[in-house]
Each structure stands twice: as structure tokens, then as C-alpha cells.
Amino acid sequence: MNLADALALLERSAAEAAAAVVGAASLDDLASVERDWLGKRSPATAVNEAIKTFGPDERPRAGQAVGAYRAAVTDAVAVRRSELEAAAAADRGPGLDLTLGGHGAVRGHLHLVTQIRRELEDIFVGLGYRIAEGPEVEDDWHNFEALNIPPAHPARSMQDTLYIELGRPEQVMLRTHTSPVQIRTMETQEPPIYVVAPGRTYRNETLDARHSPAFHQMECLAVDRGLTMADLFGTIEAFAKRLFDDESVRTRFRSDFFPYTEPSAELAVSCVFCHQRGCRVCSHTGWIELGGCGMVDPNVFVQVGIDPEEWQGFAFGFGLERIAMIRYGIDEIRTFFDNDQRFLEQY
Ligand code: DAH
């Protein structure tokens, strides 16, 4: 190869290389084009080898031509590489790699007490009741006095009270039961009244397996003309059958005392687990105590300006945690408030 051949080879190769680079369809393709036109077996290497045989005055010319060829092909490869990389990135989309594994969204659910509350509300709404509400911070009048529990009445000591502010003429407390909602409802609504009032209640108690300073109750109040204990019993029976989804559930009423009902009764249902053969849930008695009930005391009606000669009423109240504990065989009331997901997830 003489100098003229070398220059002609480089010129031809530069044109072919440029076409090959532009025609490279992928980064892999481009790498092999680069090897062909700049690598060990490329025209540039062949000319370099031949330079030794050229005369001293021809060598610089040849050297410059090889340098110019290399620079042109290298630049063209770089341009094409960045084009191909941009195209590949656009194909992948905006940083989204659908082949990556996901984290999965964990779906939560309602707390067990909320589930029970809603279920009970549904049962009573089905019986024609409305939902009533009252404040968790109550005054002495609604929590005790209007319910026929005057100061120093022994019934107050049945409920250890959490007072907000002592020594004021008007005492303020966390309500000890949902019964004050009876008063608030009768103060603002004309009979006939059919309401249930679910909500949080508080007592000055130390937390143990069966007691909690905060818990939930549901109150029921019906005021109408001509209501009798038969209506009370029938309502509780209908509700117990729906709640435990068992037509064979029986109810038991034993004489009891509450200042706001007369007569009053303790309310129990036959054990839905052993059907009264005796088991752990009913402590081998065959009966499960749910709460208290009775006919609204005429004194309570007088306090809220309802004529007890014209209107009669019945009321009952029970604990929501207790219902959940019976239904699911839970023996620790603390588990409702610990917020341990391992417990909550089960229901
Ligand atoms: N308030 C009572 C308690 O917390 C439960 C209760 C008893 C509610 C008798 C009533 C009732 O409505 O008539 O223990």
C-alpha cells in the first residue's frame, strides 16, 4: 500500500463508516459497527501498519489522515449512542419499571366495637328506632339527678365517677352510663320516642380483665301511650334473637333496682354456646347477663315535663364490649383498647 492507496482507503472507509453508524439500530449493533471501523481489523489499523513502509516525508500526511478518520468516526458513534440511549429510556417510560415487585396496600377494617355498634344500630333501626347521641362530658343533672339519683343517693356509689372539676355547684363528669341520653332526648323531643344511644362511658375503675375505665354502652328508650312490660320483654327478645342469630335464645328478667326504672330488672339471655348445658362462657349457669332494664320511673318523666299519666316508657342498657366478648369468647376487656393488630385483625 502506497500513500495514495492509504488516503483513498481512509476516505472511502470514512464514508462507509458514517453510513454504518447512522444505520445502527441498537446499542449492541452500534458496538459492533464501532469495532469494525475503529478496532484491530479496521482500515485505520491497516494504514497505521503500512506507514512504516512509507518514506519519511510521506509519514506525517498518512498519520494526520488516520487521526482525522478516527476522530470523525468516534464523534459519529458518540452522537448515535446518545440517540439510541434516549430512545431506550423513552421506551421504558417515565421511570416506571413494571417488572419491579410491589409493596401491596394493606386494607384496614373497623374496630370490633364499631362493628358491634353498627350491627346493633341496624337491628334497632329495623325495629323503627332512631339513633340518639349525647356528650361524653356530662353534668350532674343529666348523669344523675334527672335520672332520679339525688346527691348522696347510694346508687351513685354503684358507679365510681370520674369528675372533671370538683367543688363547683354544678358538677361536671365523664358520663358513667349512656342513660343521660334518655334525659337529653326527652328534653328536646315530644313523645312518642323510640331511640337507641350508643357511646363511650367512663368509670373510675382500675383496668383488669373484666373492668376498664373507658367502655361502651348502648341505651334504649321507648316512650309512647300504653307501653307495658310486655313491650319491653318482646323488644329485648326480638333484639337478642337477631343479635345472636339464634331463634332459640331465651330471655330472663330478674327483679333488680335502678332509680330511673320502676319496676327494674336484670336482663339475661340463655347461653348461645351450650344451650344451657353449662359451659365456660356462662360460668355453668346457662345464662349470660347483658344489662339492666325496666319501665321508666314516673319521677323521671316529671323531671323532663312529660305527663306520666298520659305516657309510659321502657328503657334498657348494656355494654358493647360485653356483647363482643360473649359472641367471640374473648375473656380480656383490655384487648379492646390495646390496639394490638394481632388481636384486631381477627375480627
Ligand atoms: N345505666 C345502667 C348501668 O350503666 C344500665 C341500665 C339499667 C340502663 C336499667 C337502663 C335501665 O336504661 O333501665 O349500669
Side-chain angles (χ1 to χ4, degrees):
M1 187 185 323
N2 60 30
L3 178 62
D5 290 336
L7 295 180
L9 174 62
L10 288 173
E11 199 178 327
R12 207 170 52 242
S13 298
E16 280 177 37
V21 166
V22 170
S26 68
L27 287 165
D28 283 349
D29 224 337
L30 182 63
S32 82
V33 169
E34 186 177 22
R35 231 178 293 113
D36 288 345
W37 297 99
L38 291 173
K40 280 196 201 112
R41 294 191 197 158
S42 67
T45 310
V47 173
N48 262 342
E49 292 292 324
I51 282 181
K52 293 172 236 164
T53 65
F54 294 168
D57 47 337
E58 291 179 320
R59 285 180 194 167
R61 213 44 239 276
Q64 276 166 14
V66 171
Y69 166 85
R70 284 191 160 283
V73 178
T74 302
D75 284 348
V77 166
V79 168
R80 185 64 186 147
R81 176 170 292 124
S82 59
E83 282 172 2
L84 288 170
E85 281 173 349
D91 277 346
R92 275 198 303 275
L96 179 63
D97 184 349
L98 293 176
T99 66
L100 280 176
H103 294 294
V106 181
R107 188 152 178 195
H109 65 74
L110 297 175
H111 191 281
L112 178 53
V113 171
T114 307
Q115 293 179 41
I116 295 276
R117 172 172 65 73
R118 292 199 176 177
E119 203 178 307
L120 289 165
E121 286 174 356
D122 279 351
I123 293 175
F124 282 102
V125 165
L127 292 171
Y129 285 74
R130 291 172 172 230
I131 314 296
E133 283 186 319
E136 289 176 26
V137 179
E138 255 311 356
D139 53 51
D140 193 82
W141 166 258
H142 290 96
N143 196 79
F144 290 128
E145 201 138 350
L147 286 163
N148 201 32
I149 318 175
H153 191 286
R156 289 202 184 206
S157 58
M158 285 161 55
Q159 299 184 352
D160 300 312
T161 309
L162 289 160
Y163 288 98
I164 298 288
E165 219 172 320
L166 273 170
R168 292 208 317 183
E170 173 81 326
Q171 280 188 338
V172 179
M173 68 201 71
L174 297 179
R175 66 179 177 194
T176 59
H177 50 180
T178 44
S179 303
V181 187
Q182 290 189 35
I183 303 299
R184 290 190 175 275
T185 305
M186 290 189 286
E187 281 174 339
T188 54
Q189 291 176 36
E190 297 286 318
I193 292 169
Y194 289 89
V195 292
V196 284
R200 206 166 298 167
T201 51
Y202 304 85
R203 288 185 197 175
N204 186 14
E205 280 173 322
T206 310
L207 191 62
D208 69 21
R210 302 230 142 235
H211 300 92
S212 163
F215 59 103
H216 298 78
Q217 287 191 333
M218 186 176 239
E219 193 81 12
C220 173
L221 172 70
V223 181
D224 209 337
R225 289 191 181 87
L227 286 181
T228 69
M229 287 193 93
D231 298 299
L232 167 64
F233 294 163
T235 303
I236 289 177
E237 198 175 298
F239 136 73
K241 284 180 177 168
R242 287 276 308 275
L243 176 62
F244 295 108
D245 194 22
D246 184 345
E247 279 298 313
S248 70
V249 173
R250 299 202 296 139
T251 49
R252 182 189 73 182
F253 300 90
R254 293 205 298 197
S255 187
D256 202 342
F257 171 75
F258 297 100
Y260 30 98
T261 41
E262 184 60 35
S264 304
E266 165 220 279
L267 145 69
V269 293
S270 59
C271 183
V272 285
F273 292 97
C274 65
H275 293 278
Q276 303 197 284
R277 277 186 295 273
C279 71
R280 215 173 59 92
V281 177
C282 62
S283 311
H284 297 276
T285 63
W287 295 96
I288 295 169
E289 282 175 30
L290 280 191
C293 63
M295 300 305 290
V296 177
D297 193 297
N299 286 342
V300 173
F301 279 145
V302 169
Q303 302 282 11
V304 294
I306 291 179
D307 180 3
E309 298 298 326
E310 186 182 354
W311 302 98
Q312 290 74 47
F314 64 76
F316 53 93
F318 49 86
L320 296 190
E321 283 83 3
R322 189 155 169 71
I323 300 247
M325 288 167 86
I326 293 164
R327 175 128 21 111
Y328 297 110
I330 300 163
D331 46 20
E332 264 280 356
I333 197 166
R334 279 180 282 210
T335 46
F336 289 94
F337 307 105
D338 284 346
N339 276 338
D340 186 332
Q341 290 215 355
R342 289 168 299 180
F343 167 76
L344 296 174
E345 274 168 1
Q346 294 173 45
Y347 305 100

